[in-house]
């Protein structure tokens, strides 16, 4: 391997997928962590002395998020009170195993962990629902319920922010997906780094500009414990197409991921465009999509 591009004197051991720089392990850690610190400070993601729930699935993104937030909190004295929040959807062979990883993270990173389950919140598990109605649309509805469960958890924990592990690839994929669907309402919201959950607790995405490949590399070189199995139920097929398209484009030019995010950020919806309104359900107070999922639940 050639020398590290920072001229630190060490030999490089990797090529950064995002920039093409060849770096040694220590310089990669520094570049990776500094970029997340820059994202956090530039967007003013957190106010000092705030309580932050990290939405922890046990997967690579939220594991790296928990690790890096703890590290940056200490290094730069953000003065954040960090806690882990996990949702147990009740999917045997998937979430039960990944929650064991989250418990390991809780011990390793010395952060409290709160687990909320669909069974306690809604009275059923995803295993039971799929046994009843099959796999059609289960991924979409499960996502809606997870959002609501995370919101409820954030309220219960009295946190000021809910941080999720969405990475640059996830955001670019969502921008692409909303373009392909012509979903203007979501298109204008999906690239925001801070979104309001509806309860006044902002959701933040500190890994918004972090490439998935680099997250995997970081977790590997830091020897972080994470869970990497796909959900046992049907994946979200439409997102799968957007993912394949993005990965193919990334092979040609890795900057396509940042370009799509920046395009999403710069898009301005024409005032005369026909926008669907986000209505609130008059029974539960949550947005209509959640109410639709609830109606699906009682069918
Ligand atoms: N069961 C869950 N409990 C808590 N947070 C979750 C859960 N599932 C997803 N999230 C949050 O939403 C983010 C994006 O969800 P996604 O489905 O991409 O996660 P994943 O692939 O299971 O795991 P990860 O993104 O952590 O690698 C996660 O990074 C995490 O912050």
């Amino acid at each position: 391997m050639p020398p590290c591009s920072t001229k630190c004197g060490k030999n490089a051991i990797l090529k950064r997928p995002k920039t093409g720089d060849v770096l040694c392990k220590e310089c990669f850690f520094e570049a990776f962590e500094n970029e997340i610190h820059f994202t956090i400070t530039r967007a003013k993601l957190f106010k000092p002395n705030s309580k932050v729930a990290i939405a922890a699935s046990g997967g690579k993104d939220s594991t790296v998020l928990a690790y890096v937030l703890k590290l940056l909190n200490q290094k730069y004295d953000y003065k954040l009170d960090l806690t882990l929040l996990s949702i147990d959807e009740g999917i045997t062979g998937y979430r039960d195993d990944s929650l064991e990883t989250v418990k390991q993270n809780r011990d390793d990173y010395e952060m409290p962990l709160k687990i909320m389950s669909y069974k306690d919140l809604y009275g059923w598990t995803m295993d039971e629902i799929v046994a009843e109605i099959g796999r059609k649309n289960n991924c979409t509805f499960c996502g809606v319920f997870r959002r609501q469960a995370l919101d409820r958890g954030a309220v219960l924990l009295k946190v000021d922010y809910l941080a999720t592990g969405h990475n640059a690839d996830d955001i670019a994929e969502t921008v692409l997906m909303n373009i392909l669907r012509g979903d203007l309402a979501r298109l204008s919201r999906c690239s925001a780094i801070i979104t309001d959950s509806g309860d006044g607790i902002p959701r933040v995405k500190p890994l918004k500009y972090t490439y998935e490949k680099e997250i995997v590399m970081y977790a590997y070189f830091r020897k972080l414990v994470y869970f990497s199995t796909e959900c046992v139920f049907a994946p979200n097929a439409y997102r799968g197409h957007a993912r394949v398209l993005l990965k193919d484009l990334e092979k040609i030019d890795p900057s396509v991921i940042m370009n799509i995010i920046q395009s999403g950020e710069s898009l301005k919806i024409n005032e005369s465009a026909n926008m669907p309104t986000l209505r609130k359900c008059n029974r539960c107070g949550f947005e209509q999509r959640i109410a639709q999922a609830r109606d699906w639940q009682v069918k």
Side-chain angles (χ1 to χ4, degrees):
M1 262 291 197
C4 178
S5 2
T6 63
K7 300 191 173 57
C8 68
K10 295 199 192 100
N11 276 339
I13 58 157
L14 58 89
K15 183 172 177 189
R16 278 193 74 181
K18 186 172 178 179
T19 58
D21 292 340
V22 287
L23 296 176
C24 69
K25 199 160 74 175
E26 286 70 25
C27 290
F28 170 63
F29 290 158
E30 201 173 324
F32 183 93
E33 291 154 8
N34 280 348
E35 281 179 17
I36 298 171
H37 172 60
F38 181 72
T39 301
I40 290 171
T41 47
R42 193 182 55 171
K44 298 190 176 66
L45 280 198
F46 306 113
K47 289 201 182 95
N49 303 306
S50 304
K51 187 167 178 188
V52 181
I54 301 168
S57 67
K60 61 185 184 327
D61 304 311
S62 46
T63 299
V64 167
L65 178 65
Y67 181 89
V68 173
L69 273 187
K70 181 181 165 83
L71 185 143
L72 295 176
N73 192 31
Q74 283 167 347
K75 186 170 174 187
Y76 295 103
D77 198 19
Y78 292 161
K79 297 189 170 59
L80 299 177
D81 177 7
L82 300 172
T83 187
L84 301 169
L85 171 62
S86 290
I87 308 304
D88 181 359
E89 300 93 343
I91 305 175
T92 311
Y94 172 63
R95 190 57 76 207
D96 44 356
D97 293 338
S98 66
L99 284 176
E100 291 308 310
T101 311
V102 180
K103 288 176 193 163
Q104 176 77 46
N105 293 161
R106 169 198 63 195
D107 299 342
D108 292 346
Y109 308 154
E110 296 169 320
M111 287 180 200
L113 164 66
K114 173 78 190 159
I115 301 177
M116 313 267 291
S117 72
Y118 282 7
K119 187 74 180 173
D120 290 343
L121 289 169
Y122 310 120
W124 41 257
T125 63
M126 277 311 285
D127 283 346
E128 288 164 354
I129 285 292
V130 172
E132 183 87 12
I133 62 134
R135 294 186 174 199
K136 193 162 182 275
N137 285 339
N138 73 76
C139 200
T140 308
F141 287 121
C142 182
V144 175
F145 288 122
R146 189 182 310 113
R147 268 189 80 87
Q148 192 200 52
L150 283 170
D151 288 345
R152 289 208 200 171
V155 171
L156 194 88
L157 291 171
K158 295 192 172 68
V159 296
D160 303 293
Y161 301 96
L162 177 69
T164 63
H166 291 98
N167 60 42
D169 301 50
D170 294 330
I171 315 271
E173 244 170 62
T174 311
V175 171
L176 268 183
M177 214 168 64
N178 289 330
I179 291 174
L180 298 175
R181 281 184 168 150
D183 191 336
L184 288 187
R186 293 214 182 97
L187 185 55
S188 61
R189 291 195 306 265
C190 70
S191 56
I193 192 162
I194 306 179
T195 47
D196 191 336
S197 73
D199 282 309
I201 298 177
R203 279 170 180 256
V204 298
K205 302 182 191 110
L207 304 183
K208 179 183 171 186
Y209 300 109
T210 310
Y211 278 30
E212 185 168 75
K213 281 185 178 162
E214 299 207 349
I215 290 173
V216 176
M217 274 183 170
Y218 185 84
Y220 173 78
F221 285 115
R222 282 271 187 215
K223 298 188 174 61
L224 304 185
V225 178
Y226 69 87
F227 182 79
S228 53
T229 307
E230 283 287 313
C231 180
V232 292
F233 295 136
N236 185 332
Y238 208 88
R239 179 172 284 277
H241 294 311
R243 174 164 298 182
V244 170
L245 177 59
L246 187 70
K247 294 285 173 225
D248 284 346
L249 292 169
E250 188 193 2
K251 278 183 215 145
I252 303 165
D253 177 7
S255 64
V256 79
I257 295 176
M258 286 300 280
N259 294 345
I260 293 173
I261 296 177
Q262 277 159 8
S263 303
E265 289 170 340
S266 320
L267 272 174
K268 263 205 154 152
I269 310 291
N270 187 335
E271 277 173 23
S272 63
N274 217 353
M275 294 286 283
T277 45
L278 257 188
R279 280 182 289 149
K280 289 208 168 185
C281 170
N282 51 20
R283 275 194 284 164
C284 62
F286 283 96
E287 78 173 61
Q288 209 188 20
R289 239 164 11 108
I290 293 174
Q292 277 170 349
R294 183 206 52 218
D295 291 345
W296 163 82
Q297 167 199 342
V298 295
K299 261 183 202 157

